[in-house]
Amino acid sequence: VYKRQVEMVQDRAQTMRGLIEDLLEVSRLDAGVESAQLDPVDLPSLVRGIVKRAARQREVADVSVEVVGEGRIVSTDARRVERILVNVLANAAKHGKPPIEITVRGTSIVVRDHGAGYPPELVDQGPRRFRTAAPERGTGHGLGLTIAAGQAAVLGARLRFGAAEGGGAEAVLELPESPEGGAPAGRGGSVTAPGP
């Protein structure tokens, strides 16, 4: 019994730590003190790496990545792109249904799941902290997508939430074009993260 109580306290402490870190990040984003470190990045390779790390670290599985056309080199902050995609993927894994499909086309990244879709107010107004909309979508603080939208703004990117054709939720991250127009990075293809 004692061991189980210790594990519960440790779990609650870890949850509280994560919430505090998210609140601090939202506060920095609100204050406008964040700035992007732009470097040339092979976008398809970045996305594939993020999917692999999300599978290991956040237990986000059953994610496929498809690159349409030639991959692009973009000038962006890879750490911030990862923060955006991990939050969108975690939301899809928690509230949507598998499979989760990512499509990289040019400088756009589309994340689609096969669940009930985003609530209409999120689609219309964007994410709001401490609002998770419909109770059937489960628990949460509404910070993940709020942080994703804030990080997109720091990048000068656009993050839209909507309905996927045929049902499900679809988030589209449109990164700004590089001044040079973005060099081709290689051929298209696909990769799938292992399922559970």
Side-chain angles (χ1 to χ4, degrees):
V1 175
Y2 176 74
K3 182 179 178 184
R4 199 169 68 157
Q5 290 172 335
V6 169
E7 288 173 354
M8 281 179 48
V9 168
Q10 288 173 333
D11 182 53
R12 296 287 184 224
Q14 185 65 28
T15 300
M16 185 63 70
R17 179 180 176 199
L19 176 59
I20 290 169
E21 287 173 356
D22 285 350
L23 288 170
L24 289 171
E25 185 171 357
V26 167
S27 177
R28 287 190 306 272
L29 290 166
D30 283 350
V33 297
E34 296 283 307
S35 61
Q37 293 289 110
L38 303 180
D39 292 302
V41 176
D42 175 3
L43 192 56
S45 295
L46 174 63
V47 171
R48 288 181 180 117
I50 291 169
V51 167
K52 287 178 184 171
R53 286 187 293 280
R56 277 195 322 267
Q57 298 166 1
R58 300 284 296 265
E59 298 177 8
V60 176
D62 200 8
V63 181
S64 64
V65 178
E66 179 183 8
V67 178
V68 177
E70 291 191 356
R72 297 283 288 278
I73 303 287
V74 295
S75 182
T76 194
D77 187 325
R79 183 181 63 85
R80 293 181 192 281
V81 172
E82 180 153 355
R83 186 71 166 127
I84 294 164
L85 287 185
V86 165
N87 281 356
V88 171
L89 286 169
N91 187 79
K94 184 175 184 179
H95 301 298
K97 289 186 180 170
I100 301 170
E101 301 164 343
I102 299 180
T103 304
V104 181
R105 178 182 285 116
T107 60
S108 292
I109 304 165
V110 179
V111 179
R112 185 237 173 126
D113 69 51
H114 291 80
Y118 292 116
E121 54 274 7
L122 187 146
V123 173
D124 293 341
Q125 302 166 16
R128 302 280 186 253
R129 66 196 78 173
F130 305 118
R131 187 176 74 192
T132 58
E136 64 270 13
R137 286 185 53 87
T139 59
H141 300 288
L143 295 176
L145 295 182
T146 301
I147 288 169
Q151 292 291 3
V154 171
L155 290 174
R158 184 170 180 216
L159 180 60
R160 294 181 289 113
F161 301 96
E165 189 175 323
E170 182 176 88
V172 181
L173 176 63
E174 296 175 7
L175 295 169
E177 289 281 344
S178 298
E180 313 80 41
R187 302 316 259 166
S190 63
V191 66
T192 302

